[in-house]
Amino acid sequence: MSDDYVYVIPEEPGFVPEEAKHQSAVAYFQSIAPGADRVAVSVSQHLEFVHCGANFGKVLCPSCGALIDLEAWQEWMDLDFQGKDKGFMLSKRVLPCCGASASLHDLKYEWPQGFARFNVCAQNPNIGKLS
């Protein structure tokens, strides 16, 4: 049996709460996932892609809802990532479907995922999808 992880990230990709609030975030997550094997905070120096692993479904335009080609999305990921020393830049691009401008973080992912420096993660939380 594999482990299941649920990550919660800030809406603002670069936001890192004060260290004093980290334990509050852990305590809250433990209250909604009391059966979790582990709940922990992670802070990275640069923006990282916090993904849903094997649950990765599709990527959609945030403006018109059109499906984004995964090969094109991967190319954009490669171009936007500036190495371990800098992380992701989240540069805006014009989307081919409707001409809207969006960053990788702005896109709509199935399952939810995004870019962050801060996250709270629960291992085997047994709570399903969060709202």
Side-chain angles (χ1 to χ4, degrees):
M1 186 172 127
S2 64
D3 288 320
D4 180 34
Y5 295 88
V6 173
Y7 291 88
V8 175
I9 62 174
E11 185 69 32
E12 177 62 39
F15 178 73
V16 177
E18 300 170 8
E19 196 166 326
K21 298 199 180 209
H22 293 190
Q23 286 311 310
S24 296
V26 168
Y28 178 73
F29 210 156
Q30 288 171 327
S31 76
I32 64 171
D37 292 342
R38 181 176 155 249
V39 177
V41 162
S42 176
V43 178
S44 60
Q45 191 169 3
H46 306 289
L47 288 175
E48 297 179 348
F49 183 50
V50 182
H51 59 84
C52 62
N55 290 325
F56 191 100
K58 53 189 169 183
V59 183
L60 305 168
C61 172
S63 183
C64 72
L67 187 65
I68 304 290
D69 176 69
L70 288 182
E71 197 170 300
W73 173 81
Q74 184 60 60
E75 183 178 315
W76 188 1
M77 290 282 284
D78 292 343
L79 290 170
D80 201 74
F81 184 69
Q82 300 299 302
K84 290 182 181 182
D85 293 341
K86 293 186 181 177
F88 286 91
M89 298 293 106
L90 299 184
S91 304
K92 297 257 185 189
R93 291 198 182 270
V94 174
L95 300 177
C97 49
C98 65
S101 180
S103 73
L104 289 163
H105 185 72
D106 296 331
L107 300 175
K108 299 298 176 202
Y109 295 91
E110 287 187 8
W111 285 37
Q113 47 202 327
F115 295 79
R117 290 189 50 224
F118 173 85
N119 73 67
V120 184
C121 175
Q123 180 182 5
N124 300 318
N126 300 310
I127 58 173
K129 233 180 191 181
L130 296 174
S131 61

PDB file of all heavy atoms in Angstrom, residues 4-8 25-40 120-130:
ATOM      1  N   ASP A   4      -0.334   8.324   1.218  1.00  0.00           N
ATOM      2  CA  ASP A   4      -1.126   9.399   0.643  1.00  0.00           C
ATOM      3  C   ASP A   4      -0.712  10.687   1.346  1.00  0.00           C
ATOM      4  O   ASP A   4      -0.623  10.727   2.574  1.00  0.00           O
ATOM      5  CB  ASP A   4      -2.613   9.102   0.894  1.00  0.00           C
ATOM      6  CG  ASP A   4      -3.532  10.158   0.351  1.00  0.00           C
ATOM      7  OD1 ASP A   4      -3.219  10.747  -0.703  1.00  0.00           O
ATOM      8  OD2 ASP A   4      -4.580  10.405   0.975  1.00  0.00           O
ATOM      9  N   TYR A   5      -0.460  11.748   0.568  1.00  0.00           N
ATOM     10  CA  TYR A   5      -0.044  13.025   1.136  1.00  0.00           C
ATOM     11  C   TYR A   5      -1.010  14.116   0.693  1.00  0.00           C
ATOM     12  O   TYR A   5      -1.387  14.171  -0.471  1.00  0.00           O
ATOM     13  CB  TYR A   5       1.364  13.402   0.667  1.00  0.00           C
ATOM     14  CG  TYR A   5       2.422  12.458   1.158  1.00  0.00           C
ATOM     15  CD1 TYR A   5       2.758  11.313   0.433  1.00  0.00           C
ATOM     16  CD2 TYR A   5       3.080  12.688   2.356  1.00  0.00           C
ATOM     17  CE1 TYR A   5       3.728  10.438   0.892  1.00  0.00           C
ATOM     18  CE2 TYR A   5       4.047  11.814   2.819  1.00  0.00           C
ATOM     19  CZ  TYR A   5       4.369  10.701   2.083  1.00  0.00           C
ATOM     20  OH  TYR A   5       5.317   9.832   2.542  1.00  0.00           O
ATOM     21  N   VAL A   6      -1.384  14.985   1.604  1.00  0.00           N
ATOM     22  CA  VAL A   6      -2.195  16.152   1.289  1.00  0.00           C
ATOM     23  C   VAL A   6      -1.384  17.375   1.696  1.00  0.00           C
ATOM     24  O   VAL A   6      -0.938  17.485   2.845  1.00  0.00           O
ATOM     25  CB  VAL A   6      -3.551  16.132   2.025  1.00  0.00           C
ATOM     26  CG1 VAL A   6      -4.297  17.437   1.806  1.00  0.00           C
ATOM     27  CG2 VAL A   6      -4.390  14.953   1.556  1.00  0.00           C
ATOM     28  N   TYR A   7      -1.200  18.283   0.732  1.00  0.00           N
ATOM     29  CA  TYR A   7      -0.450  19.512   0.963  1.00  0.00           C
ATOM     30  C   TYR A   7      -1.406  20.695   0.950  1.00  0.00           C
ATOM     31  O   TYR A   7      -2.316  20.752   0.128  1.00  0.00           O
ATOM     32  CB  TYR A   7       0.580  19.740  -0.148  1.00  0.00           C
ATOM     33  CG  TYR A   7       1.717  18.762  -0.146  1.00  0.00           C
ATOM     34  CD1 TYR A   7       1.622  17.562  -0.833  1.00  0.00           C
ATOM     35  CD2 TYR A   7       2.895  19.047   0.529  1.00  0.00           C
ATOM     36  CE1 TYR A   7       2.667  16.654  -0.837  1.00  0.00           C
ATOM     37  CE2 TYR A   7       3.953  18.155   0.529  1.00  0.00           C
ATOM     38  CZ  TYR A   7       3.826  16.953  -0.155  1.00  0.00           C
ATOM     39  OH  TYR A   7       4.867  16.078  -0.164  1.00  0.00           O
ATOM     40  N   VAL A   8      -1.166  21.648   1.816  1.00  0.00           N
ATOM     41  CA  VAL A   8      -1.876  22.917   1.800  1.00  0.00           C
ATOM     42  C   VAL A   8      -0.821  23.989   1.587  1.00  0.00           C
ATOM     43  O   VAL A   8       0.199  24.022   2.300  1.00  0.00           O
ATOM     44  CB  VAL A   8      -2.643  23.162   3.122  1.00  0.00           C
ATOM     45  CG1 VAL A   8      -3.283  24.538   3.129  1.00  0.00           C
ATOM     46  CG2 VAL A   8      -3.702  22.077   3.323  1.00  0.00           C
ATOM     47  N   ALA A  25      -0.499  26.353  12.174  1.00  0.00           N
ATOM     48  CA  ALA A  25      -0.928  25.689  10.943  1.00  0.00           C
ATOM     49  C   ALA A  25      -0.909  24.175  11.122  1.00  0.00           C
ATOM     50  O   ALA A  25      -1.843  23.475  10.704  1.00  0.00           O
ATOM     51  CB  ALA A  25      -0.038  26.106   9.781  1.00  0.00           C
ATOM     52  N   VAL A  26       0.133  23.665  11.753  1.00  0.00           N
ATOM     53  CA  VAL A  26       0.221  22.221  12.008  1.00  0.00           C
ATOM     54  C   VAL A  26      -0.914  21.778  12.930  1.00  0.00           C
ATOM     55  O   VAL A  26      -1.591  20.781  12.670  1.00  0.00           O
ATOM     56  CB  VAL A  26       1.597  21.840  12.614  1.00  0.00           C
ATOM     57  CG1 VAL A  26       1.596  20.407  13.151  1.00  0.00           C
ATOM     58  CG2 VAL A  26       2.697  22.028  11.577  1.00  0.00           C
ATOM     59  N   ALA A  27      -1.154  22.532  13.975  1.00  0.00           N
ATOM     60  CA  ALA A  27      -2.214  22.182  14.932  1.00  0.00           C
ATOM     61  C   ALA A  27      -3.577  22.170  14.248  1.00  0.00           C
ATOM     62  O   ALA A  27      -4.397  21.264  14.486  1.00  0.00           O
ATOM     63  CB  ALA A  27      -2.213  23.149  16.107  1.00  0.00           C
ATOM     64  N   TYR A  28      -3.834  23.149  13.391  1.00  0.00           N
ATOM     65  CA  TYR A  28      -5.118  23.182  12.685  1.00  0.00           C
ATOM     66  C   TYR A  28      -5.253  21.975  11.762  1.00  0.00           C
ATOM     67  O   TYR A  28      -6.295  21.315  11.734  1.00  0.00           O
ATOM     68  CB  TYR A  28      -5.295  24.482  11.895  1.00  0.00           C
ATOM     69  CG  TYR A  28      -6.598  24.473  11.134  1.00  0.00           C
ATOM     70  CD1 TYR A  28      -7.806  24.624  11.803  1.00  0.00           C
ATOM     71  CD2 TYR A  28      -6.621  24.264   9.762  1.00  0.00           C
ATOM     72  CE1 TYR A  28      -9.016  24.577  11.124  1.00  0.00           C
ATOM     73  CE2 TYR A  28      -7.820  24.213   9.074  1.00  0.00           C
ATOM     74  CZ  TYR A  28      -9.016  24.364   9.756  1.00  0.00           C
ATOM     75  OH  TYR A  28     -10.207  24.297   9.075  1.00  0.00           O
ATOM     76  N   PHE A  29      -4.197  21.669  11.017  1.00  0.00           N
ATOM     77  CA  PHE A  29      -4.244  20.526  10.097  1.00  0.00           C
ATOM     78  C   PHE A  29      -4.469  19.241  10.900  1.00  0.00           C
ATOM     79  O   PHE A  29      -5.236  18.376  10.491  1.00  0.00           O
ATOM     80  CB  PHE A  29      -2.963  20.449   9.277  1.00  0.00           C
ATOM     81  CG  PHE A  29      -3.139  19.840   7.902  1.00  0.00           C
ATOM     82  CD1 PHE A  29      -2.244  20.152   6.895  1.00  0.00           C
ATOM     83  CD2 PHE A  29      -4.162  18.978   7.599  1.00  0.00           C
ATOM     84  CE1 PHE A  29      -2.361  19.608   5.634  1.00  0.00           C
ATOM     85  CE2 PHE A  29      -4.297  18.416   6.325  1.00  0.00           C
ATOM     86  CZ  PHE A  29      -3.392  18.734   5.345  1.00  0.00           C
ATOM     87  N   GLN A  30      -3.809  19.109  12.041  1.00  0.00           N
ATOM     88  CA  GLN A  30      -4.023  17.932  12.884  1.00  0.00           C
ATOM     89  C   GLN A  30      -5.472  17.857  13.362  1.00  0.00           C
ATOM     90  O   GLN A  30      -6.014  16.767  13.517  1.00  0.00           O
ATOM     91  CB  GLN A  30      -3.060  17.946  14.076  1.00  0.00           C
ATOM     92  CG  GLN A  30      -1.638  17.645  13.665  1.00  0.00           C
ATOM     93  CD  GLN A  30      -0.631  17.861  14.777  1.00  0.00           C
ATOM     94  OE1 GLN A  30      -0.798  18.737  15.622  1.00  0.00           O
ATOM     95  NE2 GLN A  30       0.432  17.067  14.770  1.00  0.00           N
ATOM     96  N   SER A  31      -6.117  19.003  13.584  1.00  0.00           N
ATOM     97  CA  SER A  31      -7.508  18.999  14.043  1.00  0.00           C
ATOM     98  C   SER A  31      -8.470  18.530  12.954  1.00  0.00           C
ATOM     99  O   SER A  31      -9.505  17.949  13.258  1.00  0.00           O
ATOM    100  CB  SER A  31      -7.920  20.386  14.563  1.00  0.00           C
ATOM    101  OG  SER A  31      -8.165  21.280  13.500  1.00  0.00           O
ATOM    102  N   ILE A  32      -8.153  18.792  11.680  1.00  0.00           N
ATOM    103  CA  ILE A  32      -9.032  18.326  10.598  1.00  0.00           C
ATOM    104  C   ILE A  32      -8.611  16.966  10.058  1.00  0.00           C
ATOM    105  O   ILE A  32      -9.358  16.350   9.299  1.00  0.00           O
ATOM    106  CB  ILE A  32      -9.145  19.357   9.455  1.00  0.00           C
ATOM    107  CG1 ILE A  32      -7.806  19.589   8.764  1.00  0.00           C
ATOM    108  CG2 ILE A  32      -9.746  20.662   9.953  1.00  0.00           C
ATOM    109  CD1 ILE A  32      -7.892  20.426   7.498  1.00  0.00           C
ATOM    110  N   ALA A  33      -7.423  16.511  10.435  1.00  0.00           N
ATOM    111  CA  ALA A  33      -6.926  15.200  10.016  1.00  0.00           C
ATOM    112  C   ALA A  33      -6.331  14.480  11.225  1.00  0.00           C
ATOM    113  O   ALA A  33      -5.137  14.191  11.273  1.00  0.00           O
ATOM    114  CB  ALA A  33      -5.881  15.361   8.920  1.00  0.00           C
ATOM    115  N   PRO A  34      -7.173  14.179  12.231  1.00  0.00           N
ATOM    116  CA  PRO A  34      -6.645  13.605  13.465  1.00  0.00           C
ATOM    117  C   PRO A  34      -5.998  12.226  13.295  1.00  0.00           C
ATOM    118  O   PRO A  34      -5.186  11.827  14.120  1.00  0.00           O
ATOM    119  CB  PRO A  34      -7.870  13.530  14.380  1.00  0.00           C
ATOM    120  CG  PRO A  34      -9.043  13.549  13.470  1.00  0.00           C
ATOM    121  CD  PRO A  34      -8.625  14.334  12.274  1.00  0.00           C
ATOM    122  N   GLY A  35      -6.320  11.526  12.220  1.00  0.00           N
ATOM    123  CA  GLY A  35      -5.730  10.207  12.007  1.00  0.00           C
ATOM    124  C   GLY A  35      -4.451  10.206  11.196  1.00  0.00           C
ATOM    125  O   GLY A  35      -3.904   9.150  10.897  1.00  0.00           O
ATOM    126  N   ALA A  36      -3.953  11.395  10.829  1.00  0.00           N
ATOM    127  CA  ALA A  36      -2.742  11.480  10.000  1.00  0.00           C
ATOM    128  C   ALA A  36      -1.547  10.858  10.716  1.00  0.00           C
ATOM    129  O   ALA A  36      -1.388  11.007  11.922  1.00  0.00           O
ATOM    130  CB  ALA A  36      -2.443  12.931   9.650  1.00  0.00           C
ATOM    131  N   ASP A  37      -0.714  10.187   9.939  1.00  0.00           N
ATOM    132  CA  ASP A  37       0.517   9.614  10.489  1.00  0.00           C
ATOM    133  C   ASP A  37       1.483  10.708  10.918  1.00  0.00           C
ATOM    134  O   ASP A  37       2.219  10.549  11.884  1.00  0.00           O
ATOM    135  CB  ASP A  37       1.211   8.716   9.461  1.00  0.00           C
ATOM    136  CG  ASP A  37       0.425   7.450   9.151  1.00  0.00           C
ATOM    137  OD1 ASP A  37      -0.470   7.082   9.948  1.00  0.00           O
ATOM    138  OD2 ASP A  37       0.710   6.830   8.104  1.00  0.00           O
ATOM    139  N   ARG A  38       1.473  11.806  10.158  1.00  0.00           N
ATOM    140  CA  ARG A  38       2.416  12.892  10.414  1.00  0.00           C
ATOM    141  C   ARG A  38       1.908  14.160   9.766  1.00  0.00           C
ATOM    142  O   ARG A  38       1.362  14.127   8.672  1.00  0.00           O
ATOM    143  CB  ARG A  38       3.772  12.496   9.816  1.00  0.00           C
ATOM    144  CG  ARG A  38       4.872  13.471   9.995  1.00  0.00           C
ATOM    145  CD  ARG A  38       6.202  12.904   9.426  1.00  0.00           C
ATOM    146  NE  ARG A  38       7.036  14.028   9.083  1.00  0.00           N
ATOM    147  CZ  ARG A  38       7.364  14.385   7.857  1.00  0.00           C
ATOM    148  NH1 ARG A  38       7.000  13.690   6.839  1.00  0.00           N
ATOM    149  NH2 ARG A  38       8.104  15.441   7.633  1.00  0.00           N
ATOM    150  N   VAL A  39       2.084  15.290  10.427  1.00  0.00           N
ATOM    151  CA  VAL A  39       1.783  16.603   9.848  1.00  0.00           C
ATOM    152  C   VAL A  39       3.015  17.467  10.075  1.00  0.00           C
ATOM    153  O   VAL A  39       3.513  17.552  11.193  1.00  0.00           O
ATOM    154  CB  VAL A  39       0.542  17.259  10.495  1.00  0.00           C
ATOM    155  CG1 VAL A  39       0.318  18.646   9.918  1.00  0.00           C
ATOM    156  CG2 VAL A  39      -0.701  16.393  10.303  1.00  0.00           C
ATOM    157  N   ALA A  40       3.497  18.079   9.000  1.00  0.00           N
ATOM    158  CA  ALA A  40       4.731  18.864   9.115  1.00  0.00           C
ATOM    159  C   ALA A  40       4.690  20.072   8.193  1.00  0.00           C
ATOM    160  O   ALA A  40       3.996  20.086   7.183  1.00  0.00           O
ATOM    161  CB  ALA A  40       5.931  17.993   8.761  1.00  0.00           C
ATOM    162  N   VAL A 120       2.117  22.973   4.337  1.00  0.00           N
ATOM    163  CA  VAL A 120       1.835  22.081   5.461  1.00  0.00           C
ATOM    164  C   VAL A 120       1.385  20.775   4.822  1.00  0.00           C
ATOM    165  O   VAL A 120       0.524  20.780   3.939  1.00  0.00           O
ATOM    166  CB  VAL A 120       0.729  22.630   6.381  1.00  0.00           C
ATOM    167  CG1 VAL A 120       0.532  21.716   7.579  1.00  0.00           C
ATOM    168  CG2 VAL A 120       1.057  24.031   6.843  1.00  0.00           C
ATOM    169  N   CYS A 121       1.989  19.678   5.236  1.00  0.00           N
ATOM    170  CA  CYS A 121       1.717  18.390   4.615  1.00  0.00           C
ATOM    171  C   CYS A 121       1.275  17.376   5.664  1.00  0.00           C
ATOM    172  O   CYS A 121       1.872  17.278   6.738  1.00  0.00           O
ATOM    173  CB  CYS A 121       2.978  17.887   3.922  1.00  0.00           C
ATOM    174  SG  CYS A 121       2.805  16.232   3.225  1.00  0.00           S
ATOM    175  N   ALA A 122       0.227  16.621   5.327  1.00  0.00           N
ATOM    176  CA  ALA A 122      -0.229  15.528   6.186  1.00  0.00           C
ATOM    177  C   ALA A 122       0.000  14.217   5.449  1.00  0.00           C
ATOM    178  O   ALA A 122      -0.387  14.071   4.285  1.00  0.00           O
ATOM    179  CB  ALA A 122      -1.700  15.690   6.532  1.00  0.00           C
ATOM    180  N   GLN A 123       0.628  13.274   6.130  1.00  0.00           N
ATOM    181  CA  GLN A 123       0.860  11.949   5.562  1.00  0.00           C
ATOM    182  C   GLN A 123      -0.269  11.029   6.004  1.00  0.00           C
ATOM    183  O   GLN A 123      -0.561  10.916   7.198  1.00  0.00           O
ATOM    184  CB  GLN A 123       2.206  11.397   6.031  1.00  0.00           C
ATOM    185  CG  GLN A 123       2.514  10.027   5.477  1.00  0.00           C
ATOM    186  CD  GLN A 123       3.840   9.495   5.995  1.00  0.00           C
ATOM    187  OE1 GLN A 123       4.498  10.096   6.837  1.00  0.00           O
ATOM    188  NE2 GLN A 123       4.229   8.344   5.489  1.00  0.00           N
ATOM    189  N   ASN A 124      -0.916  10.394   5.030  1.00  0.00           N
ATOM    190  CA  ASN A 124      -2.031   9.478   5.282  1.00  0.00           C
ATOM    191  C   ASN A 124      -3.095  10.115   6.177  1.00  0.00           C
ATOM    192  O   ASN A 124      -3.449   9.569   7.224  1.00  0.00           O
ATOM    193  CB  ASN A 124      -1.529   8.164   5.874  1.00  0.00           C
ATOM    194  CG  ASN A 124      -0.556   7.465   4.941  1.00  0.00           C
ATOM    195  OD1 ASN A 124      -0.775   7.423   3.735  1.00  0.00           O
ATOM    196  ND2 ASN A 124       0.518   6.943   5.490  1.00  0.00           N
ATOM    197  N   PRO A 125      -3.637  11.267   5.758  1.00  0.00           N
ATOM    198  CA  PRO A 125      -4.577  11.988   6.613  1.00  0.00           C
ATOM    199  C   PRO A 125      -5.983  11.359   6.677  1.00  0.00           C
ATOM    200  O   PRO A 125      -6.750  11.671   7.574  1.00  0.00           O
ATOM    201  CB  PRO A 125      -4.651  13.369   5.982  1.00  0.00           C
ATOM    202  CG  PRO A 125      -4.365  13.127   4.545  1.00  0.00           C
ATOM    203  CD  PRO A 125      -3.359  11.996   4.515  1.00  0.00           C
ATOM    204  N   ASN A 126      -6.304  10.521   5.702  1.00  0.00           N
ATOM    205  CA  ASN A 126      -7.625   9.872   5.656  1.00  0.00           C
ATOM    206  C   ASN A 126      -8.767  10.873   5.701  1.00  0.00           C
ATOM    207  O   ASN A 126      -9.750  10.677   6.418  1.00  0.00           O
ATOM    208  CB  ASN A 126      -7.754   8.864   6.810  1.00  0.00           C
ATOM    209  CG  ASN A 126      -6.696   7.788   6.735  1.00  0.00           C
ATOM    210  OD1 ASN A 126      -6.508   7.183   5.682  1.00  0.00           O
ATOM    211  ND2 ASN A 126      -5.981   7.590   7.816  1.00  0.00           N
ATOM    212  N   ILE A 127      -8.646  11.956   4.918  1.00  0.00           N
ATOM    213  CA  ILE A 127      -9.699  12.973   4.911  1.00  0.00           C
ATOM    214  C   ILE A 127     -10.253  13.261   3.527  1.00  0.00           C
ATOM    215  O   ILE A 127     -11.205  14.003   3.395  1.00  0.00           O
ATOM    216  CB  ILE A 127      -9.205  14.307   5.531  1.00  0.00           C
ATOM    217  CG1 ILE A 127      -7.983  14.844   4.783  1.00  0.00           C
ATOM    218  CG2 ILE A 127      -8.959  14.164   7.013  1.00  0.00           C
ATOM    219  CD1 ILE A 127      -7.537  16.226   5.220  1.00  0.00           C
ATOM    220  N   GLY A 128      -9.666  12.701   2.481  1.00  0.00           N
ATOM    221  CA  GLY A 128     -10.153  12.993   1.134  1.00  0.00           C
ATOM    222  C   GLY A 128      -9.735  14.379   0.680  1.00  0.00           C
ATOM    223  O   GLY A 128      -8.837  15.004   1.231  1.00  0.00           O
ATOM    224  N   LYS A 129     -10.440  14.868  -0.350  1.00  0.00           N
ATOM    225  CA  LYS A 129     -10.127  16.164  -0.929  1.00  0.00           C
ATOM    226  C   LYS A 129     -10.585  17.287  -0.007  1.00  0.00           C
ATOM    227  O   LYS A 129     -11.675  17.243   0.540  1.00  0.00           O
ATOM    228  CB  LYS A 129     -10.872  16.289  -2.255  1.00  0.00           C
ATOM    229  CG  LYS A 129     -10.017  16.644  -3.421  1.00  0.00           C
ATOM    230  CD  LYS A 129     -10.879  16.732  -4.673  1.00  0.00           C
ATOM    231  CE  LYS A 129     -10.019  16.816  -5.889  1.00  0.00           C
ATOM    232  NZ  LYS A 129     -10.807  16.931  -7.102  1.00  0.00           N
ATOM    233  N   LEU A 130      -9.755  18.305   0.136  1.00  0.00           N
ATOM    234  CA  LEU A 130     -10.121  19.484   0.924  1.00  0.00           C
ATOM    235  C   LEU A 130     -10.894  20.455   0.041  1.00  0.00           C
ATOM    236  O   LEU A 130     -10.690  20.519  -1.164  1.00  0.00           O
ATOM    237  CB  LEU A 130      -8.867  20.175   1.458  1.00  0.00           C
ATOM    238  CG  LEU A 130      -8.013  19.382   2.437  1.00  0.00           C
ATOM    239  CD1 LEU A 130      -6.743  20.136   2.763  1.00  0.00           C
ATOM    240  CD2 LEU A 130      -8.793  19.080   3.691  1.00  0.00           C
TER     241      LEU A 130
END
